[in-house]
Amino acid sequence: MPVEEFVAGWISGALGLVLGHPFDTVKVRLQTQTMYHGIIDCMVKIYRHESLLGFFKGMSFPIASIAVVNSVLFGVYSNTLLMLTATSHQDRRAQPPSYVHIFMAGCTGGFLQACCLAPFDLIKVRLQNQTEPRAKPGSPPPRYRGPVHCAASIFREEGPRGLFRGAWALMLRDTPTLGIYFITYEGLCRQCTPGGQTPSSATVLVAGGFAGIASWATATPLDVVKSRMQMDGLRRRAYQGMLDCIVSSVRQEGPGVLFRGLTINSARAFPVNAVTFLSYEYLLRFWG
Ligand SMILES: C[N+](C)(C)CCCC[C@H](N)C(=O)O
């Protein structure tokens, strides 16, 4: 089983992640809290109360987890394609796999990465939602002191299954939408590149950026549900399950609630995934 794809997936994922984390914090706050009136208001408030560091809350854990998650995504994707089409990464320009195979490989990678992502993502969301300013003398300490304390507290207060809160919504969110991710990327690369040639850096950037947008746009409704299920249990249990979460959110806040975070998800997705795909392709070319 070729391993370069796993390593390239890890490095490229980490580069994209740092670039996108501030957008992600704003998104999670908009999806789960009511004190902000839109993206700009949220950014200004975070900056005023929590300084620039507020945007990077909860990032240490994703940086560690992206090593596992993005390498599983890209590694499983590429190795599934190898199994389905008997072509390695290097041969795929000359012998392009069908879109059905690309979609199936993307879904497989998406499903397995979601299984690894679930506990990391839960901890990230809980930490991002702590609005206390950083350690000011006299102010009450935040509920979670950091990722390890957060994981231990969830384990203690909500049991081991508590660490997988929202995991079904996460798997449903990621399996089809990562199929869409790779189809969009490959489709755009093929459109803009004469047959058999390697796509240019500009093509990879644009195709990667739009792949991110297409995937996030389709993932947003389940992303809202996922974030809400993850925050449940912290407050009192408000939702009986995923369906209940959808129905009561829509009833209370209107159908628009399912698209909360769409703009910010898309704004984040373009640079993050442009950089992810560019570094991924370069690393593999460099090693290949
Ligand atoms: C499937 N879904 C859209 C949810 C995630 C796509 C992940 C792609 C990339 N790691 C990123 O963070 O943008």
Side-chain angles (χ1 to χ4, degrees):
M1 178 164 82
V3 293
E4 309 89 270
E5 283 94 338
F6 285 94
V7 182
W10 160 34
I11 300 177
S12 58
L15 289 173
L17 185 108
V18 176
L19 200 68
H21 197 76
F23 293 97
D24 194 65
T25 301
V26 174
K27 178 200 82 176
V28 167
R29 298 265 180 109
L30 286 176
Q31 285 179 337
T32 55
Q33 311 212 7
T34 44
M35 62 192 279
Y36 304 113
H37 311 289
I39 297 172
I40 305 286
D41 180 54
C42 181
M43 287 167 76
V44 171
K45 283 194 176 135
I46 293 182
Y47 183 73
R48 276 221 194 109
H49 299 303
E50 302 160 59
S51 87
L52 263 190
L53 288 176
F55 291 98
F56 290 94
K57 273 185 186 166
M59 192 178 75
S60 55
F61 224 44
I63 278 283
S65 66
I66 199 85
V68 184
V69 172
N70 221 58
S71 74
V72 167
L73 174 62
F74 280 83
V76 170
Y77 168 74
S78 191
N79 282 286
T80 309
L81 267 187
L82 178 67
M83 269 165 34
L84 291 173
T85 64
T87 55
S88 71
H89 183 80
Q90 293 88 341
D91 319 322
R92 280 184 208 133
R93 292 292 158 217
Q95 292 161 264
S98 74
Y99 285 117
V100 173
H101 285 149
I102 293 177
F103 185 71
M104 282 165 66
C107 291
T108 314
F111 177 76
L112 288 175
Q113 71 104 44
C115 301
C116 308
L117 178 64
F120 291 110
D121 193 63
L122 173 71
I123 289 162
K124 183 204 74 157
V125 166
R126 293 274 175 103
L127 291 176
Q128 282 175 317
N129 263 323
Q130 303 204 114
T131 47
E132 293 86 352
R134 288 220 158 215
K136 263 206 195 130
S139 62
R143 181 183 186 117
Y144 302 124
R145 291 194 290 270
V148 178
H149 179 242
C150 179
S153 314
I154 296 176
F155 192 84
R156 202 168 352 97
E157 289 157 17
E158 301 166 49
R161 286 190 52 196
L163 285 170
F164 284 85
R165 207 177 278 283
W168 281 116
L170 185 71
M171 284 174 211
L172 278 178
R173 183 196 77 171
D174 281 7
T175 305
T177 53
L178 281 160
I180 294 174
Y181 183 65
F182 286 104
I183 284 220
T184 312
Y185 175 70
E186 271 303 317
L188 287 174
C189 279
R190 286 182 200 176
Q191 283 289 311
C192 306
T193 315
Q197 284 181 23
T198 344
S200 69
S201 305
T203 302
V204 170
L205 279 173
V206 172
F210 279 111
I213 292 187
S215 175
W216 273 109
T218 43
T220 297
L222 275 170
D223 190 47
V224 175
V225 175
K226 179 231 40 135
S227 297
R228 290 184 168 213
M229 306 277 301
Q230 287 172 324
M231 288 308 287
D232 212 18
L234 186 64
R235 303 161 186 155
R236 65 196 164 76
R237 307 237 0 220
Y239 306 121
Q240 243 103 59
M242 221 153 55
L243 207 63
D244 184 40
C245 175
I246 301 177
V247 172
S248 55
S249 299
V250 170
R251 224 182 254 151
Q252 283 161 19
E253 296 160 69
V257 69
L258 294 179
F259 296 93
R260 214 180 272 176
L262 180 65
T263 320
I264 188 103
N265 267 343
S266 311
R268 171 190 169 280
F270 195 93
V272 169
N273 293 289
V275 165
T276 300
F277 271 104
L278 188 70
S279 42
Y280 177 74
E281 293 283 356
Y282 264 92
L283 285 167
L284 286 183
R285 245 178 256 174
F286 180 67
W287 290 326

